[in-house]
Amino acid sequence: GVTQHLTLMGMLPVLSSSMDHLARNGNTFTTESGSVGDFKLSGLFPVASWGKQFLMGQIGISMPTGSTFQSDTTPVSGGLAAQLPYPMQTGSGTWDVIAAVTYQGQGNLLSWGAQAKGLIRTGTNDNGYRLGNNYLGTAWGAVKITRNFSASLRGGYRRVENITGKDQFLTDPVTFMTPGGPQVRPAAQFVPTADPNLRAGSYGDVGVGINFYLPSGPLHDLRLTAEGIIPVYQKLDGPQLETDWMLMLGAQYTIELGTGH
């Protein structure tokens, strides 16, 4: 909290990914990547309030601290590290804009809210492409069960756009074996995750959560949350990896800093 009307929030993710592959010839292999992601800095500010209902705004930037050069060995890379496709990269490589508006309401036993959020990509990264914009809409409700526990239900919709441009390091010719002999093609021609025109999709999901809160004691204001998320709608452009389920765990602790008089 900077002032009563402005809160700054920063986030630096640490990402680790692995992808299992099954080739047409029956061979299997796994690629892995990992590093810090893009650092996001944003400001939260009140827009309006009435009673116990609030409207908040958020504006921020995403800085390209993640990597767009993650590489690993593959069966066709000759033992050398090859550039990995888009889903295995940990950063965007561009300076992006974050904008959101959030509505929240609270009663004695119930709380509710909704949020609309966008991540708008700008420019072109050093690899020659720009990731697609992300748009998110979500609404939720929670009911107080005891003094310390509450349960929540959330529905969400997310839209991801296709990539603009293409990774120049994924267009390098690769030699691979076929029943008719060796062939040379760009990686994007036989690896769907390397095709920039096959990254868009729409996702709808439902989440059920449990929240634990300590209002007093040495760890007062500690919040623990767990939410299980099940996709109910997925429309993906081209062959992509669907989501089966997700589990989110969180801990939040509020620290109040004293001020002089």
Side-chain angles (χ1 to χ4, degrees):
V2 179
T3 70
Q4 288 185 340
H5 303 289
L6 178 63
T7 299
L8 292 182
M9 179 175 64
M11 181 177 68
L12 180 65
V14 178
L15 306 173
S16 178
S17 301
S18 65
M19 184 180 292
D20 298 327
H21 298 73
L22 173 63
R24 288 185 177 181
N25 60 9
N27 293 336
T28 60
F29 65 97
T30 299
T31 55
E32 298 179 343
S33 67
S35 75
V36 298
D38 290 346
F39 177 71
K40 295 176 175 60
L41 179 65
S42 59
L44 307 175
F45 52 91
V47 176
S49 64
W50 55 100
K52 291 186 177 182
Q53 301 181 70
F54 308 90
L55 192 65
M56 302 288 295
Q58 177 183 356
I59 190 73
I61 58 174
S62 176
M63 308 176 191
T65 54
S67 171
T68 59
F69 292 95
Q70 293 289 299
S71 59
D72 200 358
T73 57
T74 71
V76 295
S77 65
L80 302 177
Q83 176 78 356
L84 292 176
Y86 305 103
M88 299 296 288
Q89 301 302 322
T90 59
S92 65
T94 56
W95 291 78
D96 305 324
V97 178
I98 303 168
V101 59
T102 305
Y103 160 77
Q104 288 181 296
Q106 187 170 2
N108 293 330
L109 294 178
L110 299 176
S111 61
W112 58 91
Q115 183 184 74
K117 188 174 185 179
L119 176 61
I120 311 302
R121 311 290 187 178
T122 68
T124 301
N125 61 30
D126 293 339
N127 301 56
Y129 68 92
R130 178 175 69 248
L131 293 177
N133 296 334
N134 281 248
Y135 305 101
L136 172 68
T138 183
W140 64 88
V143 58
K144 185 177 180 181
I145 300 174
T146 69
R147 186 168 179 260
N148 302 102
F149 283 94
S150 66
S152 63
L153 179 66
R154 182 183 62 82
Y157 175 82
R158 180 168 59 98
R159 172 66 185 173
V160 180
E161 295 183 339
N162 265 325
I163 293 171
T164 300
K166 56 185 178 181
D167 190 334
Q168 58 182 327
F169 299 101
L170 292 176
T171 61
D172 293 340
V174 175
T175 301
F176 64 102
M177 298 302 298
T178 70
Q183 293 188 17
V184 179
R185 295 182 187 175
Q189 287 190 3
F190 65 97
V191 180
T193 50
D195 190 332
N197 298 315
L198 300 179
R199 304 313 312 154
S202 300
Y203 308 80
D205 55 55
V206 172
V208 178
I210 293 292
N211 311 284
F212 175 74
Y213 171 61
L214 281 177
S216 59
L219 294 178
H220 67 90
D221 290 335
L222 172 67
R223 298 175 184 268
L224 302 176
T225 64
E227 184 183 39
I229 303 171
I230 300 296
V232 295
Y233 172 80
Q234 296 187 76
K235 184 178 180 181
L236 310 178
D237 290 0
Q240 290 189 42
L241 297 178
E242 290 186 338
T243 299
D244 291 331
W245 56 272
M246 292 186 291
L247 177 64
M248 298 183 66
L249 304 175
Q252 176 182 316
Y253 184 67
T254 301
I255 300 177
E256 295 184 4
L257 301 179
T259 56
H261 297 282

